[in-house]
Amino acid sequence: MRLPGAETFASTLRNRSRKFPGRTDPRHAQDLLFPDVRPGFGISRQDSVFTIGSCFARNVEEVLLAEGITVPTASFAAPREEAPGRSNRILNQYNPGTMLQCVKAMDEEMDEAGLYRMDDGRVLDCLLATGSRPVSPQRARERRGQIRDLYISGLARSEFVVITLGLVEAWYDRADNIYLNEAPPRKLLDTDPGRFELHQLGVPEARDMVFQMLERLLENGRRKVILTVSPVPLQVTFAGGDAVVQNAYSKAVLRVVADLAAREFEDVDYFPSYEIVTSGGLQSVGDDNVHVRPAVVEKVVRYMVSRYIQ
């Protein structure tokens, strides 16, 4: 970005949010910073909102439902033995590669790429957030069909999509040419060492994936998208070094990509959930320093709702 000097200085003086907020600033509330958000569009309570992304997307669903908004992904339920905790946590997608694959899958025939057979005949589906819980091949195919149908029907009736980008470390299956949502089985890594790679995405790769996904979702003005970056940190790094440092890299890449997308696409807004949560430091998260406290999540999503709901 390059802007003319005189015009930039004048516009800066008109910008009431130009200074980082101090303790007396209205943007500082309840030990959090709430950046000024100026939506490019509004959402009514009669609209439908489809969510894609990491576990923070599940938090967004809860508040939207409480506001009376239709959220197709919230109705999906996997059996408890497949997805302990939230019944739809199996929908979680963490890296841009698998998110793009989910969207593209609507236009493709179902296959068995990413299904890895275990010794007992069951399979592990590394395209889903299963927590390494294998199921029968029949159930794996059935479940993939259910999720594909959810994307097709849910997006067909949704005017808005909220995407929560999670991380940039992604396992890649060279044989099937796909990104995985979970690490492949250790035994398969050992027996076929050349098949899998860890990709730590940079800005160019992540940008291409996110832009392809947005082009498919927007469909020439069919929908509008709110893009966010998950405040939940990278729990384990496969790229080496300290997870704290690798998490900073991961979020920085995704934050840059989100900003590029919001500039490039007229119907895409960026919402600063990441900035709000991290402004509170470790007080925003539980004892594991990973999961955001429910009260903080509710404040963040309700702030988003207050800005967007008309």
Side-chain angles (χ1 to χ4, degrees):
M1 177 187 293
R2 296 187 180 183
L3 302 172
E7 179 182 329
T8 299
F9 199 89
S11 64
T12 299
L13 292 177
R14 294 191 297 269
N15 179 12
R16 297 182 180 180
S17 303
R18 66 183 181 273
K19 293 183 179 180
F20 199 85
R23 297 295 177 90
T24 60
D25 192 291
R27 290 170 290 162
H28 176 265
Q30 302 170 315
D31 294 323
L32 296 169
L33 300 181
F34 293 86
D36 186 21
V37 174
R38 302 176 185 179
F41 47 83
I43 302 174
S44 77
R45 286 180 170 79
Q46 288 71 48
D47 289 326
S48 176
V49 178
F50 195 90
T51 61
I52 300 174
S54 69
C55 54
F56 197 73
R58 313 282 78 85
N59 301 130
V60 172
E61 291 170 350
E62 291 180 344
V63 179
L64 291 177
L65 286 172
E67 291 290 329
I69 296 171
T70 301
V71 185
T73 48
S75 63
F76 187 86
R80 184 174 181 81
E81 61 270 19
E82 296 179 17
R86 296 178 188 271
S87 59
N88 68 342
R89 69 175 295 277
I90 207 164
L91 297 177
N92 290 358
Q93 294 292 331
Y94 302 109
N95 67 77
T98 61
M99 293 182 194
L100 173 60
Q101 287 168 185
C102 283
V103 172
K104 291 174 67 175
M106 295 189 297
D107 303 321
E108 300 170 352
E109 293 294 327
M110 269 203 327
D111 58 33
E112 297 189 2
L115 291 180
Y116 305 113
R117 190 169 293 274
M118 312 299 286
D119 290 339
D120 61 3
R122 295 183 299 169
V123 296
L124 183 64
D125 192 344
C126 287
L127 297 189
L128 304 179
T130 64
S132 299
R133 294 175 178 84
V135 296
S136 70
Q138 295 79 10
R139 172 55 184 156
R141 290 190 290 269
E142 176 189 50
R143 190 171 58 190
R144 280 194 175 183
Q146 292 170 343
I147 293 174
R148 180 175 179 269
D149 290 345
L150 170 68
Y151 269 74
I152 293 173
S153 62
L155 283 169
R157 65 178 189 270
S158 295
E159 301 86 357
F160 300 90
V161 181
V162 176
I163 301 174
T164 304
L165 303 173
L167 47 83
V168 298
E169 289 190 16
W171 286 96
Y172 183 75
D173 184 334
R174 298 178 64 209
D176 286 342
N177 192 31
I178 55 169
Y179 281 96
L180 306 180
N181 202 39
E182 293 189 348
R186 179 62 185 273
K187 185 176 182 179
L188 191 54
L189 283 168
D190 293 338
T191 57
D192 194 356
R195 179 171 182 174
F196 300 97
E197 296 176 339
L198 176 72
H199 290 187
Q200 188 181 42
L201 305 176
V203 170
E205 300 97 330
R207 175 193 177 279
D208 287 347
M209 293 172 184
V210 171
F211 275 35
Q212 287 183 56
M213 175 171 57
L214 291 173
E215 287 167 358
R216 174 64 176 83
L217 291 172
L218 294 172
E219 291 185 338
N220 299 319
R222 168 69 176 83
R223 301 183 191 88
K224 300 185 185 301
V225 173
I226 299 175
L227 197 57
T228 71
V229 173
S230 172
V232 178
L234 177 73
Q235 297 185 45
V236 176
T237 181
F238 290 98
D242 195 292
V244 175
V245 177
Q246 295 294 6
N247 178 67
Y249 171 81
S250 182
K251 300 303 183 183
V253 169
L254 295 175
R255 180 62 187 87
V256 169
V257 169
D259 197 76
L260 292 173
R263 294 172 187 266
E264 178 72 18
F265 296 92
E266 182 179 357
D267 291 329
V268 174
D269 274 7
Y270 174 73
F271 180 78
S273 57
Y274 175 75
E275 288 85 343
I276 299 172
V277 173
T278 55
S279 73
L282 294 180
Q283 294 182 0
S284 295
V285 296
D287 293 339
D288 60 1
N289 285 346
V290 171
H291 293 94
V292 183
R293 294 185 185 278
V296 175
V297 171
E298 185 170 358
K299 291 175 185 176
V300 173
V301 184
R302 288 204 177 279
Y303 180 57
M304 180 178 73
V305 168
S306 73
R307 302 301 296 165
Y308 279 90
I309 301 299
Q310 297 178 339

